[in-house]
Amino acid sequence: MASSDLSLPGKPEWVFDREAEWDALVAFARDTAPGARLGVVSGRLRQGKTFLLETLTAVTGGFYFGAQQVAEAESLTRLGEALARYTGTPVPFHRHGWEETVEALLALGDERPVPVVLDEFPHLVRQSPALPSVLHNACRRRRQAGRPGQARLLLSGSSLPLMHRLFGPASPLRELAGPALTVGPLDFRQAARFWGIDDPRLALLVHAVVGGTPAYRHDYVEDDVPAGPDDFDDWVCRTVLNRRRRLFQEAHHLLQEETDHWDRALSHSALSAVATGCATQGQVADCLGTPLTDTARCLTLLRENGLLETEPDAFRPHVGRLRVAEPLLAFEHGAVHAHRPALEHRDPVEVWKHARPVFDSVVMPAHFAQVCREWARDFADPAVFGARPVTAARGTLPDPAHAGGAETAADVVVRGPGDARAGVLLSVGLARWGEVMDLPHLDHLRGLLTRLTDLGEDVGRARPACYGAAGFSDALRAAEAEGEVVLVGLDRLYGRG
């Protein structure tokens, strides 16, 4: 067993970023307060939870066990063998049930704080539904016996709905649960650094395909990084569209592994509908020709698993807009899904020629707008909008010039703190991926601000903003110099300008 030095170890150099996550894990693992404690680590597949937890136990001298989808008896045997290796016991543990095994796990913290990781804990609970109660009772017995110990249990899982239930109000683990850590994807700036891409346009194109999931670079494309902007198309063809690479089937596997749905085909179709423009539950049901109840059930499942999000409209908070949360799924279902059968027998280069226009016209505009919202919320200096942004969302209003439900939209509506329920309006903006932005875009924003004023919105602090991936006209640059508009290009998004 490792030494008992309780100094807080720094993050190893081989762990990319994740400073906040690492600090939180180490602080929990080395907390010297008496009594066993329980921490929760959750997050979707491929985000690096296991890597972080394995590194934590290696650095701090803790215990790690990764559960698998096997029978209960096999899990108990494997866990007993792992305990024997950790404690140096020559004969493997042969345990008769979870009560004895849990007691042995808690006993690891009898002399010092020790992180005890049960990774993919939901697998164990599916095998042994009584396990949460066993853990709760074991901790209670230890407290009552005056030997609480200092075991720092870290229960990790990728099944987000089950993790929520395991530590929800009705769970016996609720009263034990301490810090809860979510390990999510890298943000778009972190992802560019992780992939080693300096060109902002190329970084955004790659992010639109693989997002910020760390596993995709090393394990799924074997460290194949585009050599430059001119290599992007070839990179797509030799990675995500290449039948010999793991990334080829990943969109299918995400639904296979993260959902237990009675109809995965409906999940794929629903994602395709949202990725190509359906923004509400009713629109998805109409597009697919499915009953509203079935559609609602499917969309709820996708939301629970973190694959789909419903975002409130910035101007009409009671209106929710659906968005595919995982870029790889948006790429797959927005541009590639219709061509998937052809990829089984045709050259990916030929298939990509047909899919690329859809990628450029459907996937990239939506992805660029989302990244702009993230920049405004998470990276913009408070001076840009006159205050620190609290939210950034898409906002829509009915278009009085067109009947039949037509809307006029702002892609990036920034709100700050304030007494109003929605927060003070700081900015309204348009995001354009494939066109040079000019004065008509600014005129559109001015007209939108006038309409908001007529509707009673306080626009006194609102600044028009144009987010352009293809650049800005000289006239718009002149308006920026006069303080009439905020311009945000790719360099600024990535902190290079």
Side-chain angles (χ1 to χ4, degrees), residues 218-240:
H218 299 304
D219 299 335
Y220 283 72
V221 302
E222 302 170 18
D223 287 320
D224 186 343
V225 178
D230 293 339
D231 189 39
F232 174 73
D233 290 318
D234 288 341
W235 175 80
V236 169
C237 294
R238 65 179 185 258
T239 56
V240 68

Side-chain angles (χ1 to χ4, degrees), residues 102-310:
V102 167
E103 176 58 38
L105 290 170
L106 295 175
L108 296 178
D110 281 347
E111 298 179 1
R112 66 183 179 93
V114 173
V116 179
V117 174
L118 295 181
D119 198 5
E120 291 303 340
F121 183 67
H123 291 339
L124 300 178
V125 177
R126 289 190 181 102
Q127 302 158 19
S128 313
L131 181 54
S133 294
V134 172
L135 271 170
H136 175 267
N137 292 335
C139 291
R140 184 187 61 188
R141 286 194 303 269
R142 280 181 148 261
R143 286 197 304 269
Q144 292 173 345
R147 53 184 187 88
Q150 292 180 303
R152 303 295 177 242
L153 289 171
L154 282 165
L155 308 182
S156 172
S158 301
S159 175
L160 301 185
L162 184 51
M163 290 294 286
H164 292 155
R165 290 196 295 272
L166 284 174
F167 302 99
S171 170
L173 295 177
R174 177 71 174 185
E175 69 177 70
L176 298 176
L181 176 68
T182 299
V183 179
L186 303 172
D187 65 50
F188 69 96
R189 285 188 174 182
Q190 292 170 330
R193 295 197 304 271
F194 184 70
W195 281 78
I197 300 176
D198 294 326
D199 182 276
R201 185 177 183 84
L202 177 61
L204 195 60
L205 286 166
V206 171
H207 191 261
V209 177
V210 294
T213 298
Y216 292 160
R217 174 177 178 180
H218 299 304
D219 299 335
Y220 283 72
V221 302
E222 302 170 18
D223 287 320
D224 186 343
V225 178
D230 293 339
D231 189 39
F232 174 73
D233 290 318
D234 288 341
W235 175 80
V236 169
C237 294
R238 65 179 185 258
T239 56
V240 68
L241 302 186
N242 184 347
R243 292 187 298 274
R244 293 182 292 276
R245 291 287 178 89
R246 290 179 66 185
L247 199 58
F248 180 75
Q249 290 289 351
E250 176 64 1
H252 171 77
H253 288 160
L254 280 177
L255 289 185
Q256 192 78 13
E257 295 174 350
E258 296 203 16
T259 64
D260 296 320
H261 201 272
W262 54 272
D263 187 358
R264 288 195 180 95
L266 180 58
S267 295
H268 281 289
S269 295
L271 286 170
S272 293
V274 175
T276 53
C278 292
T280 67
Q281 181 173 288
Q283 289 175 355
V284 173
D286 289 343
C287 176
L288 302 183
T290 54
L292 195 59
T293 52
D294 290 352
T295 303
R297 181 178 171 186
C298 174
L299 296 178
T300 297
L301 177 79
L302 293 170
R303 279 192 294 263
E304 287 178 345
N305 283 277
L307 303 179
L308 198 66
E309 293 180 352
T310 300

Side-chain angles (χ1 to χ4, degrees), residues 94 146 271 449 459:
H94 295 288
L271 286 170
L449 288 171
V459 302

